[in-house]
Amino acid sequence: MKTTFQSGASQGRLASLDALRGFDMLMISGGGAFLSLMGGKTNIAFIDAVAAQFHHPDWNGFTFYDFIFPLFLFMAGTSLSFSLRSGLAKGISKADLAKKVFKRMLILFFFGILDKNAPLDIFDPAHIRYGTVLGRIGIATFIAALLYMNFSWKQMLFIAAGILILYFAALMLIPAPGFSAGDLTFEGNLVGWLDRNFMPGRLKQTTYDELAMTTQLSATCLTIFGCLAGDLLQKRLPVNKKLSQLALMGIVGIGVGLLWSLGFPLNKHLWSSSFILVTAGMSCLLVVLFYWVIDVKKYTRWAFFFKVIGMNSLVIYLLCRFVDFGKSSQLLFAGLYNHLPEKWHEVFNALGGLALVWLVLYVMYRHKIFVKF
């Protein structure tokens, strides 16, 4: 982990990527929970519909909340392509860049273990959960970095497509012992059987873990696709051509993913191939929107709120895990919102917690403190 004190944004840095990453982290670190709490409070159908999008389906299905983590994996790949291209342009060897990304993977894996197991009991490894959000990001970034530095754009695309096809074939053709081939139920899927028999430690859902080893490769495809999008953004092409190509990638991803979902359902728990393509396509379209509005049209003021979060994205993730902003919000603001109807207390307490998180990040931003892993 390195804390950097910067005098300004690095040359060539796209403000849109920081803003989009900030939007995503806002949803992860409390924004999604706040919107979910709005459900049933206003008797307004639209607000209730939005709130319903911030709950994960029990198994098959898709809501906007399912898109939040895949978007971060995609953005990790997009940012990675900028970092690697910059490093190579400065004369840093591929081996040194690979070592740097590998070290980052180990750091993220460690913080992921700490995050998912706090308080961590290192003397009881059998009950440690090894599948983590941060670990998944670290592994996906490392694999994508190796591919980016050693394969062409088209080759990476074919590799990602091959992974998704092979993953689909494995789940459809290889039966889990005691179940039939193609069984994608909660109990009978191949992913769960592999997790139960080969994944060490504790599994989140007991019979499987959505962040365990079996789904890592399909999830890594999101980071690979993010690298491809980032590489396209850096090419010497007219802006309109970049935008049209990225938009086409997004539309094709969503279209193919939806068609594939007819036989391989959208399922975040399994990180199904259809789910990967749909969320990659959605991510591409959001990159197009933010890039066009912020970096092309220069409408930047509205994005500052998100940029503050995006510049310290992983800090906010860990802060929200180890600092009880909800309790702080209650101590500071309960004297105000207690005068409202009781059903609104949790909503405004969550809003106060979000405000406190943002203020901490704003102070870091003003002092140009950016923590990089």
Side-chain angles (χ1 to χ4, degrees), residues 77-293:
T78 307
S79 300
L80 177 67
S81 68
F82 280 82
S83 298
L84 292 177
R85 180 174 283 207
S86 174
L88 292 170
K90 293 175 181 176
I92 303 174
S93 70
K94 291 181 180 179
D96 286 340
L97 288 172
K99 288 177 184 177
K100 182 178 180 180
V101 182
F102 180 75
K103 180 181 177 181
R104 180 178 185 269
M105 178 184 71
L106 294 180
I107 293 172
L108 288 174
F109 190 81
F110 167 76
F111 277 109
I113 296 293
L114 189 61
D115 166 40
K116 294 301 182 185
N117 296 278
L120 177 63
D121 184 356
I122 62 173
F123 299 106
D124 189 14
H127 290 90
I128 292 176
R129 185 186 175 199
Y130 296 98
T132 70
V133 168
L134 296 182
R136 171 146 296 184
I137 294 169
I139 295 170
T141 304
F142 178 66
I143 295 173
L146 295 180
L147 294 176
Y148 184 83
M149 291 189 292
N150 293 285
F151 293 93
S152 69
W153 198 94
K154 287 185 178 179
Q155 287 173 327
M156 288 180 66
L157 180 61
F158 288 139
I159 289 170
I163 290 172
L164 296 180
I165 292 170
L166 288 174
Y167 182 59
F168 168 68
L171 265 65
M172 290 298 178
L173 300 177
I174 303 174
F179 298 89
S180 60
D183 190 331
L184 300 179
T185 63
F186 183 93
E187 300 83 5
N189 69 85
L190 180 64
V191 168
W193 183 84
L194 290 171
D195 287 348
R196 290 191 296 276
N197 287 275
F198 298 101
M199 183 70 183
R202 173 173 58 89
L203 302 178
K204 179 182 178 182
Q205 285 89 359
T206 306
T207 58
Y208 80 102
D209 192 317
E210 63 192 40
L211 294 176
M213 60 182 182
T214 317
T215 57
Q216 179 66 53
L217 272 181
S218 63
T220 298
C221 291
L222 283 161
T223 307
I224 297 172
F225 289 137
C227 277
L228 299 180
D231 201 56
L232 184 54
L233 283 174
Q234 296 173 83
K235 288 185 177 179
R236 296 184 179 277
L237 295 172
V239 170
N240 288 340
K241 191 167 185 178
K242 289 182 185 180
L243 291 173
S244 62
Q245 289 185 6
L246 280 170
L248 179 61
M249 286 172 57
I251 292 169
V252 169
I254 293 172
V256 174
L258 289 176
L259 285 174
W260 206 344
S261 71
L262 299 176
F264 195 11
L266 298 174
N267 188 308
K268 181 180 182 293
H269 302 278
L270 292 175
W271 292 79
S272 63
S273 302
S274 57
F275 173 79
I276 299 299
L277 288 179
V278 167
T279 52
M282 292 172 62
S283 299
C284 237
L285 294 182
L286 268 186
V287 168
V288 168
L289 177 62
F290 274 64
Y291 178 67
W292 179 73
V293 172

Side-chain angles (χ1 to χ4, degrees), residues 297-316:
K297 305 303 289 185
K298 303 299 181 183
Y299 299 130
T300 59
R301 289 188 177 181
W302 69 275
F304 177 75
F305 176 83
F306 298 115
K307 182 180 179 181
V308 168
I309 301 172
M311 294 291 285
N312 272 307
S313 56
L314 292 177
V315 170
I316 187 177

